[in-house]
Amino acid sequence: MVKKNRIIAKSIALILMVIIMSTKFTNNVFAQSNDSVRDKVEKLMSQLTLDEKISMLHGNSKFTNAGVERLGIPEWKMSDGPNGVREEIKRDSWDVAGWDNDFSTYLPRGTALAATWNINLAHEYGTVLGREARARGKDIILGPGINVHRSPLCGRNFEYMSEDPYLISKMVVPYIQGVQEQDVAACVKHYAFNNQEYERFKVNVEIDERTIREIYLPGFKAAVQEGNALTVMSAYNKFRGKWCSENTYLLTDILKNEWGFNGAVISDWDGVHSTKDAALAGLDIEMGTNKDNYDDYYFADALKDVVENGEVDIEVINDKVRRILTSMFKSKVFDENRSKGEFISERNFATAKKVAEEAVVLLKNENKTLPLKLENIKTLAVIGENAITKHAQGGGSCGVKTKYEITPLEGLQNKLGDKVNLKFAQGNKSTSTFDWAKGVIDTSEVNANYKIELKDEAVDLAKNADCVIMFVGLNHHQDLESADRVDMNLPYGQDKLIKEVLEANKNTIVFLIGGSPIDISKWVDIAPAIVQGWYAGSEAGNVFAEILFGDINPSGKLPFTFPKKLEDSPDYKLGDFPGNGLEVEYKEGVFVGYRYFDSYNVEPQFAFGHGLSYTTFKYKDVKLSGSILTAGNNIEVVVSIENNGAIAGSEVVQLYIEDVASSVKRPKKELKGFEKIFLEVGETKEVKFQVDESMLSFYDVESKKFKAELGKFIIHIGSASDDIRLTKEFELVKEN
Ligand code: BGC
């Protein structure tokens, strides 16, 4: 009898297993079938229970939401971040998992990528990120981060791209395409107006409608409409009194209805404040809450309750699940032929190097101080803590555990070997500049208390060298998620160090590391050469050495304005960065970055778009296909550029448009086109741009549309926003 029962039990178990397997199999079969994504999603939808649907709408670990095993839906695995796949942490805590195979390529940070002004490189960058994410088993990369640089002080500027919406839009689209072509969903963040770190969990942001449309939203719009980003991350802050994670205007009206986004909105980690409001406003997934029990998330049991008591219609839930499944299908989560990826491969590091090579910006180069000539140098002094600092792991959620990172000193050693007598003195030593009590990065206090014992040794070394290279600037104690700087000063007594070294040896190159502008007024005039090197990724040191010695001709251009002093920046002058912690109003409106400096005649230290080369380019001629533009038509702009210097090099040709007379106050000129071209010595190339009516328009608050007013416009073609070489006028007229 017992035996018989056992046999029956076994048979039942077997039958159940077959049923489960066949359900899974069936699902796999339809996942592979020729049905459209919509049909596949609907088939799954028809089988999901309410509990299963709800389980997909919130985290079930730090970086996954639940899957539904019986239907073959896996967990959706997310990972930071924008510059490389983040180190693994434990499933349910922020503690490091301690794996030895969770390395990634450290790609140059966002500002460095933007400084290349090279859209093909942005695509390659995304490809590497996608490949590495796949190899690490991830489905979503929590990047790119594209918040506009509103103030030089935002702690996270280094991770983002630029002050200019056009440059951001052009770079973000290929980046996302690169990621998603590798069958990984991108998650563009932080939507929207997270332009400061100070009190990011509390602050309410007030911005007028024209400004959001012209400055802060275009990058996100391009990411969604042109890049087809499969997910978007809502920001922590409030906008017009409502948290971004429950902001109907942002999530439903603009993102989903106006822009047609049909992917999923994921909250920033622990950035949700309600169940019903967030659900109805358009948030799809809640992530990162610090609650011990995942069922206590706003989008867990509480969401089921509001559905069951009728406060939230089941169709609201269905819409969220559909969005998730659609994005999963589009990134081939169910597909056997999904990309397997590849991580820390030679070609991935090679891309990191290429990006760094084109990112470095030559800010100043008096009397051709650079490139350095080896034959003139017997003793080379390298000074500054940044010569030996590795930055990959810093900065917050974008930190990367990389296989290797070449420091500037190592790069020089690799390049020079024993060809010169290379000596190093640290000169300065960092301590944290993050003031927990105030929630800000306060370099002034660190400077006041700074012990300068390392300085004298460095100055002595400089005196006896033929040439000095100083690696100075910021590190991730200042360029940091969760706090903003209070000033633009260099920390750790570096101003004094730089000045004294420059006085001791005129042949000193100042090489800046960092991702945001700093005040260099105390020594800028006596420094013959200044370079901006950024946080330039795994190959940074090798690239810096190659740039310094002329193996690579610099071609990076600033993606933001370098003010002379903080008081010159628009957020300071006209706005109120960072507000009082609870409220911030972007009073400067559309006058962000160069739009302000240009229009208010404030001379920057280095302008937006600035970047020198070891060669020179002649802007020879500009021709327009006509001087009259009508709606629906284009004017073709053709510019000839010649490399009239002594070595090959690349130039970023920039096109700005000025509206001569307008019914609203507009910036003096705005970037509307650019192209990076490579020219051999003596070579001339033509660059073509198409200008249409949309490029002349501003956001008209009355009609709630972009509109161009009839009249004269000027095309400015140049090498930087303050270095315009050619101009041409045309007129927008009414069609007959
Ligand atoms: C950051 C996000 C990040 C998330 C997960 C948040 O604090 O703002 O950018 O993706 O953490 O680490």
Side-chain angles (χ1 to χ4, degrees), residues 294-305:
Y294 297 108
D295 293 336
D296 294 339
Y297 275 37
Y298 289 106
F299 270 22
D301 290 352
L303 186 56
K304 188 179 171 198
D305 289 347

Side-chain angles (χ1 to χ4, degrees), residues 30 46 57 119 159 185 190 233 240 251 262 417 462 496 684 700:
F30 73 69
S46 66
L57 305 184
I119 54 175
E159 195 184 330
H190 308 85
M233 187 188 290
R240 295 184 186 158
L251 303 184
N262 51 26
K496 206 165 171 24
T684 296
D700 176 39

Side-chain angles (χ1 to χ4, degrees), residues 496-558:
K496 206 165 171 24
L497 172 72
I498 298 169
K499 213 164 161 236
E500 287 189 29
V501 168
L502 277 163
E503 278 157 6
N505 191 327
K506 299 246 158 325
N507 197 18
T508 293
I509 317 301
V510 183
F511 202 106
L512 299 173
I513 306 297
S516 3
I518 45 170
D519 181 339
I520 60 173
S521 55
K522 294 188 183 69
W523 44 264
V524 62
D525 292 336
I526 54 169
I530 307 173
V531 188
Q532 176 69 45
W534 314 111
Y535 300 108
S538 284
E539 286 280 347
N542 287 335
V543 170
F544 296 167
E546 287 168 25
I547 295 253
L548 286 163
F549 283 89
D551 307 291
I552 297 166
N553 188 355
S555 65
K557 300 274 186 179
L558 285 178

Side-chain angles (χ1 to χ4, degrees), residues 558-607:
L558 285 178
F560 56 71
T561 310
F562 229 91
K564 284 191 172 160
K565 51 184 190 303
L566 177 62
E567 293 73 21
D568 287 346
S569 68
D571 56 292
Y572 188 98
K573 200 88 183 181
L574 308 176
D576 61 349
F577 183 92
N580 61 9
L582 288 176
E583 291 287 327
V584 57
E585 190 183 345
Y586 292 16
K587 293 194 196 109
E588 69 283 2
V590 297
F591 294 95
V592 175
Y594 70 89
R595 286 169 168 75
Y596 167 78
F597 285 83
D598 261 12
S599 313
Y600 286 73
N601 292 318
V602 180
E603 201 187 341
Q605 190 68 67
F606 299 112

Side-chain angles (χ1 to χ4, degrees), residues 396-417:
S397 58
C398 68
V400 165
K401 175 178 159 188
T402 186
K403 188 80 187 157
Y404 70 85
E405 176 181 352
I406 310 286
T407 65
L409 184 62
E410 287 164 350
L412 286 164
Q413 284 160 342
N414 292 345
K415 159 119 197 95
L416 302 172

